[in-house]
PDB file of all heavy atoms in Angstrom:
ATOM      1  N   THR A 348       6.034  -1.741   3.721  1.00 97.00           N
ATOM      2  CA  THR A 348       5.376  -2.559   2.698  1.00 97.00           C
ATOM      3  C   THR A 348       6.184  -2.516   1.418  1.00 97.00           C
ATOM      4  O   THR A 348       7.052  -1.666   1.239  1.00 97.00           O
ATOM      5  CB  THR A 348       3.944  -2.055   2.416  1.00 97.00           C
ATOM      6  OG1 THR A 348       4.000  -0.685   2.008  1.00 97.00           O
ATOM      7  CG2 THR A 348       3.061  -2.177   3.650  1.00 97.00           C
ATOM      8  N   CYS A 349       5.873  -3.448   0.513  1.00 97.00           N
ATOM      9  CA  CYS A 349       6.573  -3.517  -0.760  1.00 97.00           C
ATOM     10  C   CYS A 349       6.273  -2.264  -1.590  1.00 97.00           C
ATOM     11  O   CYS A 349       5.308  -1.548  -1.337  1.00 97.00           O
ATOM     12  CB  CYS A 349       6.158  -4.769  -1.528  1.00 97.00           C
ATOM     13  SG  CYS A 349       4.394  -4.813  -1.932  1.00 97.00           S
ATOM     14  N   GLU A 350       7.086  -2.023  -2.591  1.00 93.00           N
ATOM     15  CA  GLU A 350       6.929  -0.827  -3.409  1.00 93.00           C
ATOM     16  C   GLU A 350       5.713  -0.913  -4.317  1.00 93.00           C
ATOM     17  O   GLU A 350       4.996   0.071  -4.500  1.00 93.00           O
ATOM     18  CB  GLU A 350       8.193  -0.594  -4.248  1.00 93.00           C
ATOM     19  CG  GLU A 350       8.145   0.676  -5.084  1.00 93.00           C
ATOM     20  CD  GLU A 350       9.430   0.915  -5.863  1.00 93.00           C
ATOM     21  OE1 GLU A 350      10.394   0.145  -5.670  1.00 93.00           O
ATOM     22  OE2 GLU A 350       9.474   1.862  -6.672  1.00 93.00           O
ATOM     23  N   ARG A 351       5.455  -2.119  -4.867  1.00 93.00           N
ATOM     24  CA  ARG A 351       4.350  -2.272  -5.818  1.00 93.00           C
ATOM     25  C   ARG A 351       3.498  -3.466  -5.413  1.00 93.00           C
ATOM     26  O   ARG A 351       3.763  -4.604  -5.806  1.00 93.00           O
ATOM     27  CB  ARG A 351       4.889  -2.468  -7.241  1.00 93.00           C
ATOM     28  CG  ARG A 351       5.647  -1.255  -7.776  1.00 93.00           C
ATOM     29  CD  ARG A 351       6.129  -1.477  -9.183  1.00 93.00           C
ATOM     30  NE  ARG A 351       6.833  -0.305  -9.700  1.00 93.00           N
ATOM     31  CZ  ARG A 351       7.402  -0.240 -10.896  1.00 93.00           C
ATOM     32  NH1 ARG A 351       7.349  -1.297 -11.706  1.00 93.00           N
ATOM     33  NH2 ARG A 351       8.013   0.860 -11.286  1.00 93.00           N
ATOM     34  N   ASP A 352       2.463  -3.196  -4.623  1.00 93.00           N
ATOM     35  CA  ASP A 352       1.625  -4.290  -4.145  1.00 93.00           C
ATOM     36  C   ASP A 352       0.848  -4.960  -5.266  1.00 93.00           C
ATOM     37  O   ASP A 352       0.402  -6.092  -5.128  1.00 93.00           O
ATOM     38  CB  ASP A 352       0.678  -3.814  -3.041  1.00 93.00           C
ATOM     39  CG  ASP A 352      -0.018  -2.507  -3.370  1.00 93.00           C
ATOM     40  OD1 ASP A 352      -0.438  -2.338  -4.531  1.00 93.00           O
ATOM     41  OD2 ASP A 352      -0.138  -1.661  -2.480  1.00 93.00           O
ATOM     42  N   SER A 353       0.682  -4.278  -6.409  1.00 93.00           N
ATOM     43  CA  SER A 353      -0.035  -4.879  -7.534  1.00 93.00           C
ATOM     44  C   SER A 353       0.746  -6.032  -8.152  1.00 93.00           C
ATOM     45  O   SER A 353       0.202  -6.796  -8.945  1.00 93.00           O
ATOM     46  CB  SER A 353      -0.331  -3.835  -8.609  1.00 93.00           C
ATOM     47  OG  SER A 353       0.868  -3.328  -9.162  1.00 93.00           O
ATOM     48  N   GLN A 354       2.021  -6.174  -7.791  1.00 94.00           N
ATOM     49  CA  GLN A 354       2.843  -7.269  -8.299  1.00 94.00           C
ATOM     50  C   GLN A 354       2.983  -8.399  -7.289  1.00 94.00           C
ATOM     51  O   GLN A 354       3.761  -9.324  -7.494  1.00 94.00           O
ATOM     52  CB  GLN A 354       4.220  -6.735  -8.707  1.00 94.00           C
ATOM     53  CG  GLN A 354       4.158  -5.773  -9.876  1.00 94.00           C
ATOM     54  CD  GLN A 354       5.516  -5.220 -10.268  1.00 94.00           C
ATOM     55  OE1 GLN A 354       6.528  -5.542  -9.649  1.00 94.00           O
ATOM     56  NE2 GLN A 354       5.542  -4.404 -11.308  1.00 94.00           N
ATOM     57  N   TYR A 355       2.201  -8.315  -6.212  1.00 96.00           N
ATOM     58  CA  TYR A 355       2.208  -9.350  -5.173  1.00 96.00           C
ATOM     59  C   TYR A 355       0.876 -10.079  -5.176  1.00 96.00           C
ATOM     60  O   TYR A 355      -0.188  -9.456  -5.156  1.00 96.00           O
ATOM     61  CB  TYR A 355       2.452  -8.736  -3.800  1.00 96.00           C
ATOM     62  CG  TYR A 355       3.915  -8.492  -3.481  1.00 96.00           C
ATOM     63  CD1 TYR A 355       4.674  -7.606  -4.235  1.00 96.00           C
ATOM     64  CD2 TYR A 355       4.539  -9.161  -2.433  1.00 96.00           C
ATOM     65  CE1 TYR A 355       6.022  -7.388  -3.954  1.00 96.00           C
ATOM     66  CE2 TYR A 355       5.886  -8.952  -2.138  1.00 96.00           C
ATOM     67  CZ  TYR A 355       6.615  -8.060  -2.898  1.00 96.00           C
ATOM     68  OH  TYR A 355       7.949  -7.855  -2.621  1.00 96.00           O
ATOM     69  N   LEU A 356       0.946 -11.394  -5.165  1.00 97.00           N
ATOM     70  CA  LEU A 356      -0.268 -12.204  -5.092  1.00 97.00           C
ATOM     71  C   LEU A 356      -0.963 -12.004  -3.745  1.00 97.00           C
ATOM     72  O   LEU A 356      -2.188 -11.920  -3.664  1.00 97.00           O
ATOM     73  CB  LEU A 356       0.084 -13.680  -5.295  1.00 97.00           C
ATOM     74  CG  LEU A 356      -1.039 -14.701  -5.217  1.00 97.00           C
ATOM     75  CD1 LEU A 356      -2.102 -14.437  -6.261  1.00 97.00           C
ATOM     76  CD2 LEU A 356      -0.483 -16.117  -5.389  1.00 97.00           C
ATOM     77  N   PHE A 357      -0.156 -11.922  -2.674  1.00 98.00           N
ATOM     78  CA  PHE A 357      -0.690 -11.739  -1.319  1.00 98.00           C
ATOM     79  C   PHE A 357      -0.302 -10.371  -0.786  1.00 98.00           C
ATOM     80  O   PHE A 357       0.793  -9.872  -1.060  1.00 98.00           O
ATOM     81  CB  PHE A 357      -0.137 -12.819  -0.383  1.00 98.00           C
ATOM     82  CG  PHE A 357      -0.561 -14.215  -0.729  1.00 98.00           C
ATOM     83  CD1 PHE A 357       0.259 -15.032  -1.503  1.00 98.00           C
ATOM     84  CD2 PHE A 357      -1.777 -14.723  -0.297  1.00 98.00           C
ATOM     85  CE1 PHE A 357      -0.127 -16.323  -1.831  1.00 98.00           C
ATOM     86  CE2 PHE A 357      -2.165 -16.011  -0.623  1.00 98.00           C
ATOM     87  CZ  PHE A 357      -1.349 -16.815  -1.399  1.00 98.00           C
TER      88      PHE A 357
END
Side-chain angles (χ1 to χ4, degrees):
T348 58
C349 61
E350 183 178 355
R351 295 181 179 178
D352 46 41
S353 64
Q354 295 179 359
Y355 277 63
L356 178 60
F357 296 96

